[in-house]
Amino acid sequence: MKCAVVVFPGSNCDHDAFHALELCGQDVDFVWHKTGDLSKYDFVLLPGGFSYGDYLRAGAIAGFSPIMNALVDFAESGKPVLGVCNGFQVLVEVGLLPGALLRNENLRFVCRHVYLRTENNDTRFTDKLKPGQQLSIPIAHGEGRYFADEATIKSLQENNQIVFRYVDQNNNTGGDGNPNGSVDDIAGIINQRGNVMGMMPHPERAMEEMLGSNDGVHIFQSLLA
Amino acid sequence: MKVAVKVRLKKSILDPQGKAVNQALHQLGFDQISGVRVGKLIELEVADGQSKEDIQKIVEDASRKLLANTVIEDFEIEYPEAAK
């Protein structure tokens, strides 16, 4: 697969994402946000960071950078797009995914490993995972509180678009697993068509056992298989 | 001319920043203040010489497209007298 990692001014997980894809044996390019063409790629990853300094709202200004028209076309053609952290914020700002990401309920920038439960393993990003499989993956964000109105949450639930939920060590929601106050413990969602996924946790930072966890590998292997 | 756009989190959405400011105010003894919500004030410089309707249309459009995220925020526009 020919993979693109989009680089905005202020991206800072672009090299981690590049490394993760390389570890999976993929051919990867960095693509500067001023590029208007993604036609030679099979997969686009929007990495974490603080694009445009998070000015106005996280992801808002990146959402209007030159590459976005190409990205929307790319997504509409059915090819896979993964947004991680700031990349997720960009995807909701441009409307490729529903909802919004708000300041964490506890006002802190939270940087630690969290537990995720796989809620939908019937997606191209998660089909190497078992239903309910628990993952330990780090988060690092100050604005990750997923929010959407009731009708949107209901439709996400009904269409099985909630892919990952924050859980406690025992794989249960409702305990102390939710690090930011996200509605319904949502950590990651997918669009109805199943080709655009956004998540706040960083699978690209969980690729090697010696760095604490390699649970992120399952996500990349699902996608790249 | 200067046009101001006030952007606020929707009423139904928890504003932890406002809560923290409220707590700090209470620590300073401002017990009479019972609630705080923090928003943004954005001042736009809009080219003169256009009709009121055009200016209103431009600012509304800009607010809806970029300045506010209407999933979570409401906005209110304040025009100077001349553009009302």
Side-chain angles (χ1 to χ4, degrees):
Chain A
M1 237 186 202
K2 183 91 179 141
C3 306
V5 173
V6 178
V7 184
F8 298 101
S11 293
N12 65 8
C13 301
D14 42 349
H15 283 264
D16 306 56
F18 190 98
H19 176 69
L21 289 163
E22 261 192 345
L23 271 182
C24 297
Q26 303 301 312
D27 183 12
V28 202
D29 286 339
F30 286 122
V31 177
W32 183 234
H33 72 116
K34 290 205 165 155
T35 313
D37 183 16
L38 289 164
S39 55
K40 64 175 170 174
Y41 297 102
D42 307 305
F43 167 57
V44 174
L45 193 151
L46 300 184
F50 298 84
S51 58
Y52 296 90
D54 273 357
Y55 294 163
L56 197 63
R57 296 178 304 277
I61 298 182
F64 290 93
S65 60
I67 202 166
M68 277 305 143
N69 285 334
L71 185 81
V72 171
D73 290 346
F74 186 89
E76 277 172 2
S77 76
K79 290 183 183 173
V81 177
L82 174 63
V84 171
C85 197
N86 191 222
F88 185 15
Q89 294 165 337
V90 173
L91 290 174
V92 296
E93 277 287 342
V94 296
L96 283 172
L97 289 173
L101 292 149
L102 289 156
R103 206 170 282 232
N104 293 349
E105 201 167 79
N106 60 13
L107 279 178
R108 297 200 180 97
F109 187 95
V110 184
C111 185
R112 62 175 166 87
H113 274 258
V114 294
Y115 293 108
L116 303 180
R117 189 173 70 199
T118 309
E119 305 291 54
N120 180 354
N121 72 331
D122 187 20
T123 79
R124 63 205 293 175
F125 300 93
T126 54
D127 59 9
K128 291 274 189 288
L129 291 159
K130 295 181 192 72
Q133 188 171 339
Q134 192 181 60
L135 306 175
S136 168
I137 290 190
I139 55 165
H141 61 248
E143 296 181 38
R145 175 168 47 118
Y146 184 78
F147 171 84
D149 59 31
E150 270 175 53
T152 308
I153 296 290
K154 203 164 162 246
S155 103
L156 288 173
Q157 291 165 343
E158 283 172 1
N159 297 314
N160 218 1
Q161 287 173 258
I162 299 166
V163 182
F164 295 112
R165 280 200 173 90
Y166 298 111
V167 289
D168 60 21
Q169 207 164 356
N170 302 319
N171 220 17
N172 294 319
T173 54
D176 56 4
N178 185 335
N180 53 27
S182 287
V183 176
D184 202 21
D185 301 298
I186 290 173
I189 56 170
I190 196 162
N191 64 348
Q192 272 199 33
R193 191 169 175 185
N195 67 314
V196 178
M197 183 167 90
M199 60 191 295
M200 287 312 294
H202 288 272
E204 81 285 2
R205 293 192 191 176
M207 297 296 288
E208 283 144 307
E209 192 74 67
M210 69 180 290
L211 296 177
S213 164
N214 61 358
D215 286 351
V217 172
H218 305 297
I219 294 172
F220 286 98
Q221 276 179 351
S222 298
L223 175 67
L224 301 166
Chain B
M1 77 176 60
K2 270 206 168 64
V3 178
V5 181
K6 288 184 190 164
V7 181
R8 297 185 177 91
L9 277 180
K10 287 187 173 168
K11 284 204 180 83
S12 57
I13 291 179
L14 175 77
D15 174 18
Q17 190 178 200
K19 242 168 101 181
V21 174
N22 194 27
Q23 273 171 15
L25 286 170
H26 287 176
Q27 276 164 19
L28 288 171
F30 290 102
D31 296 328
Q32 310 85 340
I33 296 172
S34 59
V36 179
R37 291 180 70 82
V38 179
K40 289 176 212 160
L41 174 66
I42 301 170
E43 289 180 339
L44 307 176
E45 191 65 56
V46 186
D48 293 320
Q50 307 176 81
S51 71
K52 285 179 203 175
E53 291 72 28
D54 281 351
I55 290 177
Q56 292 183 355
K57 195 175 166 293
I58 292 165
V59 177
E60 284 244 343
D61 204 24
S63 301
R64 222 170 280 285
K65 266 196 183 140
L66 178 64
L67 303 180
N69 176 346
T70 54
V71 175
I72 46 171
E73 294 167 326
D74 292 322
F75 64 89
E76 194 182 302
I77 303 172
E78 277 179 14
Y79 298 98
E81 281 304 318
K84 276 183 186 162

